[in-house]
Amino acid sequence: MDLRQFLMCLSLCTAFALSKPTEKKDRVHHEPQLSDKVHNDAQSFDYDHDAFLGAEEAKTFDQLTPEESKERLGKIVSKIDGDKDGFVTVDELKDWIKFAQKRWIYEDVERQWKGHDLNEDGLVSWEEYKNATYGYVLDDPDPDDGFNYKQMMVRDERRFKMADKDGDLIATKEEFTAFLHPEEYDYMKDIVVQETMEDIDKNSDGFIDLEEYIGDMYSHDGNADEPEWVKTEREQFVEFRDKNRDGKMDKEETKDWILPSDYDHAEAEARHLVYESDQNKDGKLTKEEIVDKYDLFVGSQATDFGEALVRHDEF
């Protein structure tokens, strides 16, 4: 399937989904929960295992003996200690937990990196991305699938330039990650808001009014009666989204809606792990302190740490 066919299929699937009168589109970017387990250390450390390793990694815990588990945990600790000072701080542990929870993002970047680093120099230029993504379709002034590829390319270029911190139109892997997943980076949040507003703001007045807000997530499809959740969303818009009560959302109001300041679950878990493991109460952990509490971090069942270590090489 070439790019044009893929995008056409994607568009049709999206249109079908949006045509369902009870289908709700969620544009809000929430930090995911660290685990669906109950966080009760008096009963088990399952929540902590999911948080520290990621739920998928934690499923294979029953493969290793306690001795093997401790050995491999020690190797992970060496990875977490970013400045190599022999200690793991709350911030370093928080960064690891966030990495463990978002491995799918790094896996997605790895897949796309291979297809866009055409000259294999360890960088992806805008020209490489443009050629790999759009290629010959840009030469067709009137594509028969109805897509405006040049408009799509302009939007991609704008986001690429935002992700490219030094402005050389060549992305490192970190910059490429910010380009593909802008919601994960603070310096990319403005472009997330801008793109969202452009998608929803049908009259192009620079704001999102109530009907545009509802129309983005719900299609009447000939039905006069709205579901209860749509009525609730109307109330949410009036009471909470439109903070200055002018009948529309501006850029800041839209940002508060789609990028809320969530409770930092990763930091809370990092502080919990440090508190439970910090034997000398100096506010940071040695490798020995972590391994001594291996059952809190990984248990005696352990996991496929080899995969975790390989993936963490890009962390």
Coordinates of all heavy atoms in Angstrom, one line a residue, residues 28-62:
V28 N -8.0 15.4 24.7 CA -7.2 15.8 25.9 C -6.1 14.8 26.1 O -6.2 13.6 26.0 CB -8.2 15.8 27.2 CG1 -7.4 16.2 28.4 CG2 -9.3 16.7 27.0
H29 N -4.9 15.4 26.4 CA -3.7 14.6 26.6 C -3.5 14.4 28.1 O -2.9 15.3 28.7 CB -2.5 15.2 25.9 CG -2.6 15.4 24.4 ND1 -2.5 14.4 23.5 CD2 -3.0 16.5 23.7 CE1 -2.7 14.8 22.3 NE2 -3.0 16.1 22.4
H30 N -3.8 13.3 28.6 CA -3.6 13.0 30.0 C -2.4 12.1 30.2 O -2.0 11.3 29.4 CB -4.8 12.2 30.6 CG -6.0 13.1 30.8 ND1 -6.1 14.1 31.7 CD2 -7.2 13.0 30.2 CE1 -7.3 14.7 31.7 NE2 -8.0 14.1 30.8
E31 N -1.7 12.3 31.3 CA -0.6 11.4 31.7 C -1.3 10.1 32.1 O -2.2 10.0 32.8 CB 0.2 11.9 32.9 CG 1.2 13.0 32.6 CD 2.3 12.5 31.7 OE1 2.8 11.5 32.0 OE2 2.7 13.2 30.8
P32 N -0.8 9.0 31.5 CA -1.4 7.7 31.8 C -1.1 7.2 33.3 O -0.2 7.6 33.9 CB -0.7 6.7 30.9 CG 0.7 7.4 30.6 CD 0.4 8.8 30.7
Q33 N -2.0 6.4 33.8 CA -1.8 5.8 35.1 C -0.6 4.8 35.0 O -0.4 4.2 34.0 CB -3.1 5.0 35.5 CG -4.3 5.9 35.8 CD -4.2 6.7 37.0 OE1 -3.6 6.3 38.0 NE2 -4.8 7.9 37.0
L34 N 0.1 4.7 36.1 CA 1.3 3.9 36.1 C 0.9 2.4 36.1 O 1.7 1.5 35.7 CB 2.2 4.2 37.3 CG 2.7 5.6 37.4 CD1 3.6 5.8 38.6 CD2 3.4 6.0 36.1
S35 N -0.3 2.1 36.7 CA -0.7 0.7 36.8 C -2.2 0.7 37.0 O -2.8 1.6 37.6 CB 0.0 0.0 37.9 OG -0.5 -1.3 38.1
D36 N -2.8 -0.4 36.6 CA -4.3 -0.6 37.0 C -4.4 -1.4 38.3 O -5.5 -1.7 38.7 CB -5.0 -1.3 35.8 CG -4.5 -2.6 35.5 OD1 -3.5 -3.1 36.2 OD2 -4.9 -3.3 34.5
K37 N -3.3 -1.7 38.9 CA -3.3 -2.4 40.2 C -3.6 -1.4 41.3 O -3.3 -0.2 41.2 CB -2.0 -3.1 40.5 CG -1.5 -4.0 39.3 CD -2.2 -5.2 39.1 CE -1.5 -6.2 38.3 NZ -0.7 -5.7 37.1
V38 N -4.1 -1.9 42.4 CA -4.3 -1.1 43.6 C -2.9 -0.9 44.3 O -2.1 -1.8 44.4 CB -5.3 -1.8 44.6 CG1 -5.3 -1.0 45.9 CG2 -6.6 -2.0 44.0
H39 N -2.6 0.4 44.6 CA -1.4 0.7 45.3 C -1.5 0.5 46.8 O -1.8 1.4 47.5 CB -0.9 2.1 44.9 CG 0.5 2.4 45.2 ND1 1.1 3.6 45.1 CD2 1.5 1.5 45.7 CE1 2.4 3.5 45.4 NE2 2.6 2.3 45.8
N40 N -1.2 -0.7 47.2 CA -1.3 -1.1 48.6 C -0.2 -2.0 48.9 O -0.3 -3.2 48.8 CB -2.7 -1.7 48.9 CG -2.8 -2.0 50.4 OD1 -1.9 -1.8 51.2 ND2 -4.0 -2.4 50.8
D41 N 0.9 -1.4 49.4 CA 2.1 -2.3 49.6 C 1.9 -3.3 50.8 O 2.7 -4.2 50.9 CB 3.3 -1.3 50.0 CG 3.8 -0.6 48.8 OD1 3.3 -0.9 47.7 OD2 4.7 0.2 48.9
A42 N 0.9 -3.1 51.6 CA 0.7 -4.0 52.6 C 0.2 -5.4 52.1 O 0.3 -6.4 52.7 CB -0.4 -3.5 53.6
Q43 N -0.4 -5.3 50.9 CA -0.9 -6.5 50.2 C 0.1 -7.1 49.2 O 0.3 -8.3 49.1 CB -2.3 -6.2 49.6 CG -3.4 -5.9 50.5 CD -4.7 -5.7 49.8 OE1 -4.8 -5.7 48.6 NE2 -5.7 -5.5 50.6
S44 N 0.6 -6.2 48.3 CA 1.6 -6.6 47.3 C 2.3 -5.4 46.8 O 1.9 -4.3 47.0 CB 0.9 -7.4 46.2 OG 0.2 -6.5 45.3
F45 N 3.4 -5.7 46.0 CA 4.1 -4.6 45.4 C 3.8 -4.6 43.9 O 4.6 -4.1 43.1 CB 5.6 -4.8 45.6 CG 6.1 -4.7 47.0 CD1 6.9 -5.7 47.6 CD2 5.6 -3.7 47.8 CE1 7.3 -5.6 48.9 CE2 6.0 -3.5 49.2 CZ 6.9 -4.5 49.7
D46 N 2.7 -5.2 43.5 CA 2.4 -5.2 42.0 C 2.4 -3.9 41.4 O 2.8 -3.7 40.2 CB 1.1 -6.0 41.8 CG 1.2 -7.5 42.1 OD1 2.3 -8.0 42.2 OD2 0.1 -8.1 42.3
Y47 N 1.8 -2.9 42.1 CA 1.7 -1.6 41.5 C 3.1 -1.0 41.3 O 3.4 -0.4 40.2 CB 0.9 -0.6 42.4 CG 0.8 0.8 42.0 CD1 -0.3 1.3 41.3 CD2 1.9 1.7 42.2 CE1 -0.4 2.6 40.9 CE2 1.8 3.0 41.7 CZ 0.6 3.5 41.1 OH 0.6 4.8 40.7
D48 N 4.0 -1.2 42.2 CA 5.3 -0.7 42.1 C 6.1 -1.4 41.0 O 6.9 -0.7 40.3 CB 6.1 -0.9 43.4 CG 5.4 -0.2 44.6 OD1 5.3 1.1 44.6 OD2 4.9 -0.9 45.5
H49 N 5.9 -2.7 40.8 CA 6.5 -3.4 39.7 C 6.1 -2.8 38.4 O 6.9 -2.6 37.5 CB 6.2 -4.9 39.8 CG 6.6 -5.5 41.1 ND1 6.2 -6.8 41.5 CD2 7.5 -5.1 42.0 CE1 6.8 -7.1 42.6 NE2 7.5 -6.1 43.0
D50 N 4.8 -2.6 38.2 CA 4.2 -2.0 37.0 C 4.8 -0.6 36.7 O 5.2 -0.3 35.6 CB 2.7 -1.9 37.0 CG 2.0 -3.3 36.8 OD1 2.7 -4.3 36.6 OD2 0.8 -3.3 36.9
A51 N 4.9 0.1 37.8 CA 5.4 1.5 37.6 C 6.9 1.5 37.3 O 7.3 2.3 36.4 CB 5.2 2.3 38.9
F52 N 7.6 0.7 37.9 CA 9.1 0.7 37.7 C 9.5 0.1 36.3 O 10.4 0.5 35.7 CB 9.8 -0.1 38.8 CG 11.3 -0.1 38.8 CD1 12.0 1.1 39.0 CD2 12.0 -1.2 38.4 CE1 13.4 1.1 38.9 CE2 13.4 -1.2 38.4 CZ 14.1 0.0 38.6
L53 N 8.8 -0.9 35.9 CA 9.1 -1.7 34.7 C 8.2 -1.4 33.5 O 8.6 -1.7 32.4 CB 9.2 -3.2 35.0 CG 10.3 -3.6 35.9 CD1 10.0 -5.0 36.4 CD2 11.6 -3.6 35.3
G54 N 7.0 -1.0 33.8 CA 5.9 -1.0 32.8 C 5.2 -2.3 32.9 O 5.7 -3.3 33.1
A55 N 3.9 -2.2 32.6 CA 3.0 -3.3 32.8 C 3.4 -4.5 32.0 O 3.3 -5.7 32.4 CB 1.5 -2.9 32.6
E56 N 3.7 -4.3 30.7 CA 4.1 -5.4 29.8 C 5.3 -6.1 30.3 O 5.4 -7.3 30.2 CB 4.2 -4.8 28.4 CG 2.9 -4.4 27.7 CD 1.9 -5.5 27.7 OE1 2.2 -6.6 27.3 OE2 0.7 -5.2 28.0
E57 N 6.3 -5.3 30.7 CA 7.6 -6.0 31.2 C 7.3 -6.8 32.5 O 7.8 -7.8 32.7 CB 8.6 -4.9 31.5 CG 9.1 -4.1 30.2 CD 9.9 -5.0 29.3 OE1 10.6 -6.0 29.8 OE2 10.0 -4.7 28.1
A58 N 6.4 -6.2 33.3 CA 6.1 -6.8 34.6 C 5.4 -8.2 34.5 O 5.4 -9.0 35.4 CB 5.3 -5.9 35.5
K59 N 4.7 -8.4 33.3 CA 4.0 -9.7 33.2 C 4.9 -10.9 33.1 O 4.4 -12.0 33.4 CB 3.2 -9.6 31.9 CG 2.0 -8.6 31.9 CD 1.3 -8.6 30.6 CE 0.1 -7.7 30.6 NZ -0.6 -7.6 29.3
T60 N 6.2 -10.7 32.8 CA 7.1 -11.9 32.7 C 7.9 -12.0 33.9 O 9.0 -12.6 33.8 CB 7.9 -11.7 31.4 OG1 8.6 -10.5 31.5 CG2 7.1 -11.7 30.2
F61 N 7.5 -11.6 35.1 CA 8.3 -11.6 36.3 C 8.7 -13.0 36.8 O 9.7 -13.1 37.5 CB 7.5 -10.9 37.4 CG 7.8 -9.5 37.6 CD1 8.3 -8.7 36.5 CD2 7.7 -8.9 38.8 CE1 8.6 -7.4 36.7 CE2 8.0 -7.5 39.0 CZ 8.4 -6.8 37.9
D62 N 8.0 -14.0 36.5 CA 8.2 -15.3 37.1 C 9.3 -16.1 36.4 O 9.3 -17.3 36.6 CB 6.9 -16.1 37.2 CG 6.3 -16.3 35.8 OD1 6.8 -15.8 34.8 OD2 5.2 -17.0 35.8

